[in-house]
Amino acid sequence: MEKITNLKDLLIEQIRELYNAEKQQQHALPKLKEKAEARELKLAIQYHLAETADHITRLEKVFQQLEVASFGEESEAMQKLIKEGYDLIERSSDPEVLDASIIAAMQYMEHFEMAGYGTACTYANELGLREIAEQLHFTLDEEKKIDEKLTEMAIAKINQKAKSPVIV
């Protein structure tokens, strides 16, 4: 494990964390899509899966610009968020509650990424790395948009269905 001695080192570590988190999310999203009941949720997950691939490609370009390797430690934070999401989903027995749980799990991951991209963007700006900051900010905006879409979907339909009592 390398020592972090300056802001650029910290930026690189933050970007490696994000890269690893995106890769983990890329593996988690198809499982969430498979479990989802609502068509609109399945479509949102599919759309975000495509965006996640773009985020990974964008981060790979950032590594090239910084002239550093993308390798780094597993993102333990994302690992735990995914595990918590899976646990929540597994305990959701009603289809409507299941969709609300999937949205919650996705938003846990999105909020983690938004914090990471926001921080990395700030570091890149502080270091005068404007092009990198712009790329990070573009991804941050995409993360915010999927979070907003999930919230809208939950409020407009999914949470209402989840409130209804299950008649057995």
Side-chain angles (χ1 to χ4, degrees):
M1 191 176 315
E2 296 175 35
K3 289 275 187 198
I4 298 171
T5 60
N6 56 50
L7 192 60
K8 186 173 181 183
D9 291 347
L10 194 54
L11 170 65
I12 292 166
E13 286 306 308
Q14 184 67 49
I15 294 171
R16 284 179 176 154
E17 174 86 10
L18 287 164
Y19 182 73
N20 188 275
E22 294 281 10
K23 294 284 238 174
Q24 288 180 51
Q25 192 177 43
Q26 190 175 42
H27 293 289
L29 288 173
K31 294 174 186 173
L32 297 181
K33 180 184 171 197
E34 184 180 303
K35 296 232 179 227
E37 293 288 326
R39 182 178 179 278
E40 63 196 326
L41 180 55
K42 286 181 180 282
L43 290 172
I45 295 168
Q46 184 61 42
Y47 180 80
H48 191 55
L49 186 57
E51 272 188 339
T52 300
D54 291 342
H55 298 170
I56 290 167
T57 300
R58 207 171 291 137
L59 288 171
E60 288 169 346
K61 289 178 184 173
V62 168
F63 287 123
Q64 289 173 353
Q65 289 172 298
L66 292 170
E67 298 178 347
V68 296
S70 62
F71 68 87
E73 295 180 34
E74 282 283 305
S75 172
E76 289 182 34
M78 182 58 84
Q79 238 173 11
K80 288 180 181 179
L81 290 171
I82 291 170
K83 182 189 179 312
E84 289 294 319
Y86 285 165
D87 290 348
L88 184 64
I89 290 162
E90 289 303 316
R91 295 190 345 250
S92 301
S93 58
D94 184 74
E96 284 79 16
V97 174
L98 177 65
D99 282 350
S101 297
I102 290 170
I103 288 174
M106 287 184 68
Q107 286 188 306
Y108 293 150
M109 291 184 272
E110 294 313 310
H111 290 195
F112 171 75
E113 289 178 317
M114 287 187 297
Y117 279 106
T119 299
C121 190
T122 299
Y123 294 163
N125 276 320
E126 288 289 321
L127 292 165
L129 302 170
R130 300 289 177 240
E131 188 176 331
I132 290 172
E134 286 174 13
Q135 291 175 58
L136 295 169
H137 195 272
F138 188 78
T139 302
L140 174 60
D141 285 344
E142 289 179 339
E143 299 291 4
K144 287 178 182 178
K145 285 177 187 168
I146 190 66
D147 181 58
E148 289 168 6
K149 182 175 184 152
L150 291 168
T151 297
E152 289 169 10
M153 193 181 310
I155 291 169
K157 187 175 181 184
I158 291 175
N159 290 351
Q160 294 302 316
K161 286 184 174 184
K163 284 195 312 188
S164 301
V166 178
I167 300 171
V168 182

